Amino acid sequence: MTMNATAPASARGAASDPPEPDRADTAPGGAPRRGIPRPKATPARRASVFLSSHPRVRLGFLLAAPLFWLGLVYVVALAALLVTAFWTVDSFTGEITTEWTLDNIITVLTGSLYQTVTFRTIGVALLVTIIDVALALPIAFYMAKVASPRARRILVIAVLMPLWASYLVKAYAWRSVLSQDGILEWVLAPFGLHTPGYGLPATVITLSYLWLPYVILPIFAGLERVPDSLLEASADLGGKTWPTIRHVVLPMALPAIIAGTIFSFSLSLGDYITVNIVGGASQMLGNLVYTNVGAANNLPLAAAIALIPIAIIFGYLALVRRTGALDNL
């Protein structure tokens, strides 16, 4: 009792006061904080929690719709084309006979007309690809490594601008330029030269113009990833311009160059509209497919002809797959 009576007043006051509430349990101003209710465990919330912790499942749901559409439109259509090539057309009724036969495939592989047109189409596609790569390399290199940021933006817009115009408008514009009374004839006449007119040269020129932006852009993207320090190191070691480009730039930009060739080669291989506009009497595989679908009304033979460029493209993609070009598309 004596000890309690002689205890300091501060100690007695501390013992008699109620404990202070925890700061985490108090709102600003000292008022006690009300408990925050936990969200209800609805099916939507459980699904959201599951998807947030399983990124692969979330990615699968995001890609399911476009992959389904791609498979339905592209893969199923391609399979239907393959199946149609093994059918025939009744010569009397014109109806498609769903009897399996290799006649169309044999006709396409052994017919001299189809062999000639196939080699012509491959030659045109290769020539267009070579021309586009030769034009795209210096343009893309200047855009990526020489031009200022402002000039680079202007050049990118200039490369993209032809893509905003209609395909037919550009093709018919070249028809006007290459005609006998066109602007090209007017420019070449003082030098004793003449316009090539309509034919395979006109087809190559027009296709090279149409697909050039598709070649410039992937090469520009590939050259932009080449470190500037490598070019500076080559210059410090005495490397001149052409050896530096040949031994440093081109090996690193090769996948991007091949990616550009995929566009120009495949697009030229399947084109038929440009040949109809500026090709004169020349024919390519696309024209044979168009003729057999329309005028000849022989869909199985047209499908068999269409398998030729498809097989060539798949073979080309198989060759360039290991170069890393597909990663630059």
Side-chain angles (χ1 to χ4, degrees):
M1 296 294 294
T2 305
M3 294 178 61
N4 293 336
T6 59
S10 60
R12 292 198 304 270
S16 61
D17 291 340
E20 294 183 0
D22 191 3
R23 290 183 180 181
D25 297 333
T26 58
R33 186 188 300 272
R34 294 183 178 180
I36 299 176
R38 297 183 62 182
K40 297 181 180 180
T42 60
R45 179 172 179 78
R46 286 196 294 268
S48 177
V49 172
F50 176 80
L51 292 176
S52 63
S53 58
H54 295 79
R56 292 181 179 273
V57 178
R58 184 172 68 249
L59 180 62
F61 275 109
L62 289 175
L63 296 179
L67 287 178
F68 173 76
W69 181 252
L70 177 64
L72 182 66
V73 172
Y74 182 74
V75 178
V76 174
L78 193 62
L81 176 69
L82 178 63
V83 171
T84 307
F86 294 95
W87 293 345
T88 58
V89 174
D90 191 291
S91 57
F92 294 101
T93 63
E95 299 292 333
I96 296 178
T97 303
T98 57
E99 294 180 359
W100 296 91
T101 179
L102 295 174
D103 291 345
N104 294 321
I105 305 297
I106 295 173
T107 300
V108 169
L109 294 178
T110 59
S112 59
L113 170 64
Y114 304 107
Q115 293 175 355
T116 302
V117 174
T118 297
F119 286 120
R120 181 189 301 148
T121 303
I122 295 174
V124 169
L126 287 175
L127 190 57
V128 169
T129 300
I130 293 172
I131 293 173
D132 279 349
V133 171
L135 294 174
L137 273 174
I139 298 174
F141 184 81
Y142 182 83
M143 292 168 57
K145 297 301 178 186
V146 180
S148 63
R150 183 173 181 272
R152 183 182 299 119
R153 290 192 293 268
I154 295 175
L155 289 173
V156 170
I157 294 174
V159 170
L160 292 175
M161 280 184 65
L163 301 179
W164 302 344
S166 170
Y167 173 98
L168 290 176
V169 170
K170 293 182 286 187
Y172 275 106
W174 273 104
R175 178 182 175 88
S176 175
V177 170
L178 296 170
S179 65
Q180 296 297 330
D181 300 325
I183 187 173
L184 187 60
E185 177 71 19
W186 178 75
V187 171
L188 296 178
F191 303 97
L193 302 175
H194 300 281
T195 178
Y198 304 141
L200 286 181
T203 302
V204 172
I205 293 172
T206 305
L207 290 177
S208 299
Y209 169 80
L210 290 174
W211 313 140
L212 183 60
Y214 296 97
V215 182
I216 293 177
L217 293 178
I219 296 178
F220 164 68
L223 290 174
E224 219 178 11
R225 291 193 291 267
V226 176
D228 295 336
S229 58
L230 293 180
L231 305 181
E232 296 171 357
S234 177
D236 293 340
L237 295 174
K240 296 183 179 180
T241 302
W242 289 112
T244 299
I245 292 176
R246 186 170 67 252
H247 297 295
V248 178
V249 177
L250 288 181
M252 299 189 67
L254 184 61
I257 296 173
I258 297 176
T261 65
I262 293 174
F263 285 109
S264 60
F265 183 76
S266 60
L267 292 172
S268 300
L269 204 64
D271 189 271
Y272 73 96
I273 299 177
T274 297
V275 188
N276 285 336
I277 295 175
V278 299
S282 303
Q283 284 188 322
M284 294 172 64
L285 287 173
N287 302 104
L288 295 182
V289 173
Y290 176 78
T291 301
N292 281 281
V293 170
N297 194 26
N298 193 340
L299 182 59
L301 183 59
I305 299 172
L307 292 179
I308 298 176
I310 293 175
I312 294 174
I313 288 299
F314 274 106
Y316 185 64
L317 292 178
L319 287 176
V320 304
R321 182 175 59 87
R322 295 186 178 182
T323 65
L326 300 181
D327 298 332
N328 289 268
L329 293 178

